[in-house]
Amino acid sequence: MANIRVLPPEVASQIAAGEVVERPSSAVKELIENAIDAGATRCDIAIDAGGITRITVSDDGHGMSEEDARLSIERHATSKLNSVAELFHLTSFGFRGEALPAIASVSRFQLHTRTVQSASGIEVRVEGGQLLGVVPVGCPVGTTVQVSDLFFNVPARRKFLRAVGTESAHASEVVEAAALACTGVTLTLRRDGRQVREYLRVSSRAERVPQLFGTETMACCLGERGPLRVEAYLCRPEQARSGAAGLRILVNGRPVRDRRIAATVAQAYGSVLERGRYPRGVVYLDLPSPLLDVNAHPQKSEVRFADARAVTDALYGILTRSLAGAFGLAVPARRDPPLTSEPYRERAAFARDQHHPASSLSAPDPSPAVTTLDPLPGEASASNGFEAQRTEPVIAVRDSAASPIRPGPNLSWSRLRFIAQLRQTFFLCEGDDGLYILDQHAAAERVTFTRFRRAYQSRAVACQALLFPATLEVSVREADLVEQYSQQIAEVGLDVRVRGPEMLSIHAVPKLLQRASPERLVRDLLSEVSRTGGRGFSDAVDLALATMACHGSLRAGDPASPSAATALLEALDDADFAGYCPHGRPIVTFTSYAELERKVGRR
């Protein structure tokens, strides 16, 4: 084992840069936050080749003196923090003094800055962490930072970057998040010389949200519980999407990622949202700084709450009532956490020490119980945090077995005799050995998926042109994905064209999926491709085909004739892995005649 030694400064800087600057959008985020912390009312961002070739961020903030400009590229030099105690009372975005030196260590870096008191400005030039010079220059009041050839001296990092379209989309998302966070700042974004975004400063969050979400119908959800204040703008349930990419979360004005909060927002809609679907919109949470730890992630994209469970419970109670009133939804039920547990007492004690009674966040919610919600990730079962109210008596005999009896692997579907459709959801069929109950949607989904996948693999997906093209509003990132994978999308049977930074037009859909909404099919495809993080269309195509097949198949609630049911049974014989739908749900439940005789006392 080698002897312990102190790393050279340039190596330490590049290690630190790896935590702070993951990709070009990370640098854009840090530079925008510096501009806002400097009191800017306007911030102009320009990127070339997704930010890999060049990033320029200009602001009209206070600017820096020559001494401060020199210190700004030194590690752990900051004007925003003086003591550990101030970590729990931060009002600025930055506080570590790592961003500029980290960026400068992996790029060709140039900074121009001038204060209002100075007759001239200062230029600082750094290349790969090495200071090349500090000279006076003419420039306007404020600061302009230009970052060129990002990761030029770290080729191992550069090869992990995605396609230009993907990196551009990430940068656009950073600008959108900054616009939501800071309503009093005008932000513009230019990509490869073309302006694609302009968010003029406004006086309130309610005015900023339409700038990003357009004319989409949004419910305004306002409420307070103890020290927590919630302001949320959320879409109608039918506009929800797979994955939480369209849901923005801001805590004390800081854009963050928090899966538990996202899950709580989705659950506030009750049973009208399928598992895995989340609304589009933005949720602002504001609470006293001592109840937060913002020093929890190198990129400051996560925060820790002194009492996370109390926050989510309060958020849930506020949103359920607001959404029920706005969209006419049933109010789901969710029990409050026990207030006597040791972890809760510790968090409550912390809050009391800070003179903010967090226990009041968990005041009981008197809303009536009308449905059952899925538990949050990490919760063992519904009985731990949720309950349902039964509204109808149970009149069926319930099987004592832990799981339904299923047929053997050699089942011939076409030999079953269709008897009836039950509740327009199930097919009741008779076999030589017992009764078979098929989930009509799961069976149809398996057949559609098999046919669709085979057609795609042979590049022979038949298209159906639409009489009138459908238009679809999307995010910048999704529009970039359509441009990037236009050929592969066409091979799926979709004719989709980019009509603007956030607008697509759909001209044809696969014939196999004519039942489905064209807009839903495109959203399904883009959602799955987005989940891969830009790693490639082939990584996502199977899941995308499965989701598209789901929405293009016979649904629960659709009537089916005996001939259609028989045709579906025959088609299952030719389907791959026909006992389950593409998402893994069983298609059939089987009860043998012997089991029936036992249940009615004939055995």
Side-chain angles (χ1 to χ4, degrees):
M1 186 175 178
N3 294 329
I4 295 175
R5 59 185 181 276
V6 177
L7 289 173
E10 62 272 15
V11 176
S13 295
Q14 290 188 9
I15 292 173
E19 295 180 336
V20 177
V21 188
E22 180 185 13
R23 60 195 332 149
S25 61
S26 304
V28 173
K29 173 180 179 291
E30 297 291 348
L31 295 175
I32 292 175
E33 290 180 352
N34 279 350
I36 294 170
D37 286 342
T41 60
R42 182 181 182 91
C43 184
D44 298 307
I45 304 100
I47 60 173
D48 295 324
I52 302 169
T53 302
R54 183 176 293 106
I55 299 168
T56 305
V57 178
S58 300
D59 68 67
D60 62 353
H62 304 313
M64 290 181 281
S65 65
E66 179 177 348
E67 180 182 2
D68 283 348
R70 287 177 178 272
L71 284 173
S72 69
I73 57 171
E74 298 290 334
R75 291 183 64 196
H76 309 307
T78 180
S79 62
K80 303 160 189 175
L81 193 67
N82 293 310
S83 66
V84 173
E86 292 181 17
L87 274 174
F88 296 97
H89 299 276
L90 285 172
T91 57
S92 63
F93 283 105
F95 53 87
R96 296 197 186 108
E98 291 182 331
L100 289 187
I103 295 168
S105 71
V106 291
S107 68
R108 295 184 172 93
F109 177 93
Q110 195 172 77
L111 180 149
H112 289 177
T113 186
R114 177 189 155 207
T115 64
V116 69
Q117 296 86 6
S118 302
S120 64
I122 298 296
E123 178 188 81
V124 179
R125 292 173 54 237
V126 182
E127 185 169 313
Q130 299 297 317
L131 179 63
L132 299 183
V134 179
V135 296
V137 293
C139 64
V141 173
T143 301
T144 297
V145 176
Q146 181 173 290
V147 178
S148 304
D149 299 327
L150 191 63
F151 300 132
F152 80 95
N153 56 343
V154 196
R157 292 291 309 281
R158 190 159 185 163
K159 73 178 182 180
F160 282 98
L161 298 180
R162 306 303 181 196
V164 167
T166 302
E167 298 300 340
S168 295
H170 282 295
S172 299
E173 289 175 356
V174 164
V175 176
E176 291 174 1
L180 288 170
C182 302
T183 58
V185 180
T186 293
L187 293 112
T188 66
L189 173 63
R190 298 182 68 85
R191 294 193 306 178
D192 301 312
R194 178 170 61 95
Q195 181 165 303
V196 295
R197 287 289 182 278
E198 182 180 38
Y199 302 114
L200 300 178
R201 61 177 177 267
V202 291
S203 59
S204 68
R205 293 167 174 175
E207 294 178 83
R208 178 67 95 189
V209 170
Q211 292 182 339
L212 281 87
F213 294 92
T215 58
E216 191 171 330
T217 302
M218 309 286 279
C220 177
C221 308
L222 300 175
E224 295 184 15
R225 178 75 64 80
L228 175 69
R229 183 179 185 276
V230 175
E231 181 177 355
Y233 301 89
L234 300 171
C235 74
R236 299 185 64 85
E238 60 268 25
Q239 295 169 322
R241 298 183 181 181
S242 296
L247 179 63
R248 303 281 190 175
I249 299 168
L250 294 95
V251 179
N252 286 9
R254 187 184 298 275
V256 300
R257 298 190 301 263
D258 193 305
R259 295 178 62 184
R260 189 178 179 91
I261 289 177
T264 300
V265 174
Q267 288 175 354
Y269 280 76
S271 58
V272 299
L273 282 193
E274 303 170 14
R275 181 188 291 269
R277 296 188 69 81
Y278 295 82
R280 278 169 46 82
V282 55
V283 176
Y284 294 96
L285 302 179
D286 296 292
L287 68 167
S289 296
L291 298 180
L292 279 180
D293 180 4
V294 298
N295 191 28
H297 191 274
Q299 297 174 14
K300 297 166 290 188
S301 60
E302 298 176 6
V303 296
R304 291 195 184 100
F305 297 98
D307 190 342
R309 181 60 186 268
V311 169
T312 55
D313 283 341
L315 174 63
Y316 181 86
I318 291 168
L319 293 185
T320 51
R321 288 188 293 274
S322 297
L323 293 172
F327 299 141
L329 306 179
V331 181
R334 182 182 184 189
R335 276 186 277 175
D336 292 315
L339 305 186
T340 56
S341 63
E342 191 62 34
Y344 185 91
R345 284 200 298 268
E346 292 175 1
R347 293 192 295 265
F350 171 86
R352 284 193 299 271
D353 290 344
Q354 302 295 333
H355 306 292
H356 295 291
S359 57
S360 62
L361 289 173
S362 297
D365 186 351
S367 305
V370 295
T371 187
T372 303
L373 292 176
D374 294 325
L376 287 171
E379 291 184 331
S381 67
S383 62
N384 288 338
F386 304 89
E387 63 183 358
Q389 175 180 339
R390 297 189 180 274
T391 58
E392 297 179 358
V394 178
I395 59 174
V397 177
R398 186 173 182 179
D399 193 343
S400 60
S403 59
I405 305 169
R406 295 191 176 90
N410 299 321
L411 170 67
S412 173
W413 301 94
S414 58
R415 294 181 62 183
L416 299 180
R417 294 179 292 280
F418 173 74
I419 299 174
Q421 185 185 29
L422 307 178
R423 303 187 70 177
Q424 294 188 334
T425 301
F426 304 102
F427 291 166
L428 176 63
C429 303
E430 181 185 6
D432 294 336
D433 49 352
L435 294 179
Y436 294 77
I437 299 178
L438 281 74
D439 181 327
Q440 67 184 39
H441 173 61
E445 186 182 346
R446 168 51 64 182
V447 170
T448 303
F449 174 71
T450 297
R451 292 174 176 172
F452 193 16
R453 191 166 186 264
R454 288 174 183 171
Y456 171 74
Q457 289 173 336
S458 61
R459 299 301 187 265
V461 178
C463 297
Q464 175 66 56
L466 300 178
L467 184 61
F468 299 103
T471 58
L472 181 64
E473 289 188 11
V474 295
S475 67
V476 174
R477 184 182 184 189
E478 289 170 330
D480 289 336
L481 289 173
V482 171
E483 287 184 336
Q484 185 178 349
Y485 296 115
S486 57
Q487 179 60 37
Q488 293 93 326
I489 291 173
E491 290 171 353
V492 175
L494 288 166
D495 182 359
V496 185
R497 305 170 193 177
V498 177
R499 293 304 186 194
E502 292 183 318
M503 185 64 67
L504 305 177
S505 61
I506 308 167
H507 297 260
V509 297
K511 276 190 175 181
L512 278 169
L513 308 180
Q514 291 182 71
R515 303 175 57 93
S517 155
E519 296 89 341
R520 187 65 178 268
L521 293 177
V522 174
R523 287 212 185 280
D524 291 340
L525 181 63
L526 292 178
S527 292
E528 295 300 342
V529 174
S530 297
R531 287 174 189 265
T532 67
R535 290 191 296 273
F537 189 87
S538 59
D539 291 346
V541 69
D542 262 1
L543 284 173
L545 295 181
T547 306
M548 293 165 72
C550 173
H551 295 130
S553 301
L554 181 72
R555 308 286 298 181
D558 292 344
S561 65
S563 59
T566 301
L568 181 56
L569 290 172
E570 293 172 352
L572 279 171
D573 278 337
D574 190 44
D576 302 326
F577 197 53
Y580 295 83
C581 83
H583 295 104
R585 291 190 300 111
I587 287 174
V588 64
T589 296
F590 169 75
T591 300
S592 68
Y593 292 130
E595 178 67 11
L596 282 175
E597 290 174 349
R598 184 188 66 78
K599 286 184 176 181
V600 299
R602 298 184 66 89
R603 287 197 176 195

